Amino acid sequence: METQSSVSTERLGPSFICFLIWTFISIARPQDFMIFLVPLRPVLVICVVTIAMMFLEGVSLPRGIFKLTEVRLVLLLCLVMLVGTPFAVHRGVSFSFLTTVMPATLLYFLVTVIQVRSLRRLQVTAAVAVVSLLFCTSLYIVEASAYQGFRAAASATYDPNDAALLFATFIPLCLYLLFAWQGRAIKVLSVAAACLAAAGIMMSRSRGGVLSLAVVIVILFLSSVPRIRGIAKVAAVVLLAFVFMSYFSVVEGRFQDMGEDYNLVDENGRINLWKQNLAILGENPVLGTGTGCSAVALGLFRAREGGSQTWLTPHSSILQVAVETGIPGVFVFIILNFLAIRHLRRVRGDRDHPLSRPAFFVELAFYGFWAGGLLLSHGYSVNLYFLLGISAAIRYLYTNSPDPQPCGS
């Protein structure tokens, strides 16, 4: 087990505290539950404050940050988006997306790589992610409990499927803190967050969420987790499996009569949406339809083909990026995620290194995300770029700290 005493006096600094608040706001989205926060633009405000504090502190860029594969590929993907904007099916929508949504996501990704410069900071960041998860799962379960036989929406941003994907993505970080953190309070919070998140997934009645949770449980069970005793891993698997089975009756009906499921037979089902979006991609293979324009492109395509002009997303993160950025953009996007996971696997393969354990659980978080992300439009989700930023930070620490002690905590 890593020892925290060697870096317990590490100065985290005001800018890092601002980054943690930014993380909480991005994941938990308290503004969706506390409407009075919406006019205050909390994401924009904390973004500006964090950058300003980093400037005042004189926080320097890690040496060689732009040599990191994740950083280069994210910037390249943004460049592809920018190049395609003048040719978008709706230039106004694409321009708005690139000047509002993507800058905040890109800055958050880069700040994550810059701020998470020690294992101690990685653990604290993971702790904030767990607290964020506990916050939104608690509120979701309270709301879902009031719905009898219906699917409760999570917030203004997350529908039940989105909420389930969020919960499945961050359960592995709960497990990481459970095994890595020495403080009892954080361990208790981690167990509570993991159990509530698992219950929330089942109560959302999201089949994609159930699949994501099952993937996390199965991979955790089958994998050899670095620096963790086998009995501890089995206990974690049993705990999650117990919640899964206890609540399965809630979602069981969603898996019945799959042959007649609306996704297979309805005009707005996923199969039909995927076919139509592939046709749109075939018409715009190089530059795509413009970032943020997949729903507009589908509506225009349906109107032209004589169908109902409904504005729907592709319901697949890969297809979403492909339709909006073309084949070059989706190629960069796939390579970005593939290499991030491969780098994490390489770090966790060095089992004696303190970073091997967080590398495993971040890799597991990627699997949880992508098990559901293939069925939902989350190609630009800040949660994905949080994982990509943490992956890049782990790789940087591993590459630039040959002696594990300086980055151990």
Side-chain angles (χ1 to χ4, degrees):
M1 179 178 293
E2 299 100 345
T3 59
Q4 292 177 305
S5 59
S6 60
V7 291
S8 59
T9 59
E10 177 189 3
R11 183 176 179 272
L12 299 180
S15 68
F16 182 68
I17 301 301
C18 290
F19 163 70
L20 296 178
I21 297 173
W22 192 355
T23 298
F24 177 81
I25 292 174
S26 297
I27 297 174
R29 296 199 60 83
Q31 63 271 31
D32 288 350
F33 301 97
M34 306 173 191
I35 305 301
F36 68 89
L37 293 176
V38 174
L40 301 180
R41 303 288 298 276
V43 174
L44 176 61
V45 170
I46 194 61
C47 172
V48 172
V49 171
T50 302
I51 300 299
M53 292 304 302
M54 291 174 64
F55 177 79
L56 293 175
E57 282 185 31
V59 175
S60 58
L61 295 177
R63 185 169 52 188
I65 182 176
F66 293 108
K67 294 182 179 179
L68 290 171
T69 305
E70 292 88 347
V71 174
R72 287 184 171 183
L73 289 177
V74 167
L75 294 176
L76 179 58
L77 181 60
C78 290
L79 178 61
V80 172
M81 296 177 187
L82 185 62
V83 171
T85 298
F87 308 94
V89 296
H90 195 300
R91 288 188 290 272
V93 170
S94 183
F95 180 78
S96 176
F97 188 90
L98 283 177
T99 54
T100 56
V101 178
M102 280 310 297
T105 302
L106 176 61
L107 282 174
Y108 180 74
F109 165 78
L110 292 174
V111 170
T112 300
V113 181
I114 295 169
Q115 289 287 354
V116 182
R117 56 176 183 261
S118 71
L119 187 50
R120 171 63 171 169
R121 288 189 173 216
L122 173 59
Q123 289 183 340
V124 174
T125 303
V128 170
V130 168
V131 171
S132 304
L133 182 65
L134 186 62
F135 174 85
C136 53
T137 52
S138 300
L139 292 177
Y140 181 75
I141 287 179
V142 169
E143 183 178 357
S145 299
Y147 285 72
Q148 298 296 327
F150 297 95
R151 303 180 68 194
S155 66
T157 299
Y158 299 130
D159 70 9
N161 294 321
D162 300 326
L165 178 60
L166 170 72
F167 300 163
T169 299
F170 287 101
I171 284 177
L173 295 188
C174 297
L175 301 179
Y176 167 60
L177 282 188
L178 173 63
F179 296 124
W181 197 279
Q182 292 183 344
R184 183 173 300 176
I186 291 294
K187 287 182 179 291
V188 171
L189 288 178
S190 298
V191 173
C195 291
L196 288 175
I201 290 171
M202 307 306 286
M203 295 176 71
S204 73
R205 297 179 173 86
S206 168
R207 288 172 293 195
V210 172
L211 174 63
S212 296
L213 178 58
V215 166
V216 168
I217 294 173
V218 170
I219 293 180
L220 178 63
F221 176 71
L222 297 178
S223 300
S224 176
V225 186
R227 305 167 68 85
I228 292 178
R229 295 178 180 177
I231 187 65
K233 183 195 77 171
V234 171
V237 169
V238 169
L239 179 64
L240 291 177
F242 175 76
V243 177
F244 183 94
M245 296 307 298
S246 297
Y247 283 87
F248 188 74
S249 60
V250 176
V251 73
E252 184 177 9
R254 295 270 291 159
F255 289 92
Q256 296 174 352
D257 300 323
M258 291 294 292
E260 300 298 323
D261 186 76
Y262 80 96
N263 281 308
L264 301 177
V265 300
D266 192 85
E267 179 187 6
N268 294 331
R270 280 180 171 82
I271 297 299
N272 193 47
L273 289 178
W274 292 345
K275 290 178 179 178
Q276 292 177 332
N277 276 280
L278 286 173
I280 295 171
L281 175 60
E283 296 175 352
N284 306 272
V286 179
L287 296 175
T289 62
T291 310
C293 292
S294 57
V296 177
L298 178 62
L300 296 175
F301 176 85
R302 285 187 163 189
R304 190 184 71 206
E305 296 295 321
S308 60
Q309 190 172 355
T310 308
W311 313 100
L312 296 172
T313 61
H315 286 285
S316 170
S317 298
I318 295 292
L319 194 53
Q320 175 191 21
V321 175
V323 168
E324 296 184 0
T325 65
I327 293 175
V330 75
F331 178 78
V332 172
F333 183 71
I334 291 173
I335 294 299
L336 165 65
N337 284 272
F338 173 79
L339 290 182
I341 293 173
R342 192 181 75 168
H343 294 152
L344 290 169
R345 290 180 63 84
R346 184 175 301 170
V347 174
R348 64 124 155 167
D350 187 357
R351 301 181 67 86
D352 293 329
H353 199 286
L355 287 167
S356 61
R357 182 158 54 185
F360 170 81
F361 284 104
V362 175
E363 179 189 346
L364 187 59
F366 268 106
Y367 296 146
F369 175 88
W370 277 112
L374 292 174
L375 305 173
L376 296 172
S377 302
H378 279 253
Y380 314 112
S381 168
V382 70
N383 300 316
L384 173 60
Y385 286 85
F386 171 80
L387 295 181
L388 290 169
I390 294 296
S391 170
I394 289 176
R395 181 167 182 247
Y396 182 86
L397 289 172
Y398 180 77
T399 304
N400 293 276
S401 301
D403 178 8
Q405 187 62 31
C407 66
S409 64

